Amino acid sequence: MQGTMEMKKYLGAAAMLAATTSLASAGNLDRSFQNLAPLFEEGDYAELSFGIVKPSLSGVDGAAFGGGATGNVANSFAQFGLAYKRQFSDAFSFALIFDQPFGADIAYPAGSSVALGGTTANLDVNTLTGVGRYEFGNRFSVHGGIKLQEMSGAVDLAGAAYAGLSGYSVTFDRDYAAGYLLGAAYEIPDIALRVALTYHSEVEHNLDTRENIAPGAVTGTNIVTPDSINLDFQSGIAEDTLLFGQIRYVDYSEVSVIPTAFGGVTPAGTSLVDIVDATFVTLGVGRRFTDNFSGAVSVRYEFSDTPLVSPLGPTDGSIGLTIGGTYTMDNMKITGGINYTKLGDSTPRTGGVARASFDGNDAIGVGIKIGYSF
C-alpha cells in the first residue's frame, strides 16, 4: 500500500484547492468553506494560499421599472490564507489557521437600474483559528479549538424598489469576537481513508453602527456569522487514485441585521439581509501521474432554495467545476487551479415583491497554494 500512502501526501493540496477556489453563491456569504486540511498534514507543516474570483452577475429590472439592465453587480475579490501546524508528539498536534470565511462585495452601478441602481453591500470577515488534535491510536481522533474573528461592513440602499428607504446608508465599524469548533475523525492510513466531522459555532458580534438617518448617533448592532457543519471525506479507490469530497451545511437563517434607526422606520423584524440556509456537496477525484506531479478535478453543487432572494445576494444555488494540479519537490508542494461556477438564476425582492430578474450568470476563480513540510 506504499503507493496509496504516497498518494495521500501528494494529493492533499489538490483536494484542498477545491474548497478554496470555488465561488460561494446562492445569496450567501461563504468563501473559504472553513477548511481544516492543514491540521491533518503529516509532521510539521506551513502553507500560504492566494486566490482571485471574478464573478459576472447581472440582470434586468422588473417590468414595473422599465426592464432596464442592472449591469454587473458583483465585484471581483481576493482570498488569502495562512496555516502553521506543529506535531508536538505522536498523539497531539496543533494548528493556527487564518482564513476569510465569509464576505460580500455587491454594487449595483448608479444610474444603470431604476429599481436598484446605487445599492451596495460590503462585508469583510477575517478569522484566526487555533485548533488542537488528539489521536487515540485506534484510528480515531478528536479536534477542537477557539477562533478569533474580525468583522466590518457597510450597506447603501438605493433605487425605486426601496421606496422611502432609498438613500439609506449604514456603516458597521470593525469588531472582534470569539467562537469555537469541535470535531472528530476516523482514518485508515493504508488506504488514505479519512472521514472528519466538524462543527463551527456561530460568532456573535456587536458592531458600533452609524446610520445616515440618525446623524451623529453611534448605536450597536448584533450580527452573527452562522454556525455550520462540515463532513469531509477521502479514500483511495485504486493505486495512485483518491476520491474526496465534502458535505457542508450553513445555518444562514440565523443571520439578521437590524440597525437601531432602520428598525424604527420598518416593520418589526425587518432585516437588511434575507438569507436562507445553504447546503454544499463537493465530490472529486485526484490522480498521481508521476512522483512529482498529481492532478485533481472536483464538482461542487449548492442546492437552490427559492429564486426570491435579497438584492444584496442575487443568486440561487450554483454548480462549479475545479481543476487543479500539484507539483512536489523535496519538502515543498505547489498547487494551482482554476474554477468555473455557474450561478443559479434568481429574482431579487424587496418587501416580499419581485423587483428584478437575474439569469445566465457565472464566475471564474484561480488560486495558488504553497505548502512546506519540515
Side-chain angles (χ1 to χ4, degrees), residues 25 32 51 54 59 63 71 76 78 106 117 133 179 186 190 224 238 243 283 298 344:
S25 58
S32 76
K54 182 177 178 59
S76 299
I106 295 292
R133 179 178 180 230
Y186 176 78
D190 287 348
V224 303
L243 177 73
L283 188 64
S298 67

Side-chain angles (χ1 to χ4, degrees), residues 234-321:
Q234 68 172 53
S235 178
I237 55 175
E239 186 175 358
D240 294 334
T241 305
L242 185 77
L243 177 73
F244 63 89
Q246 181 188 76
I247 300 172
R248 172 170 168 81
Y249 170 78
V250 192
D251 188 11
Y252 276 112
S253 60
E254 67 187 23
V255 178
S256 179
V257 182
I258 309 177
T260 301
F262 176 85
V265 297
T266 57
T270 300
S271 172
L272 274 172
V273 298
D274 183 12
I275 312 176
V276 298
D277 296 345
T279 301
F280 304 87
V281 177
T282 302
L283 188 64
V285 176
R287 175 77 178 175
R288 183 163 72 103
F289 296 103
T290 70
D291 288 344
N292 299 106
F293 181 74
S294 59
V297 58
S298 67
V299 175
R300 171 173 283 124
Y301 180 76
E302 180 182 9
F303 290 91
S304 60
D305 185 88
T306 171
L308 288 172
V309 299
S310 167
L312 305 185
T315 63
D316 179 39
S318 66
I319 184 168
L321 175 70

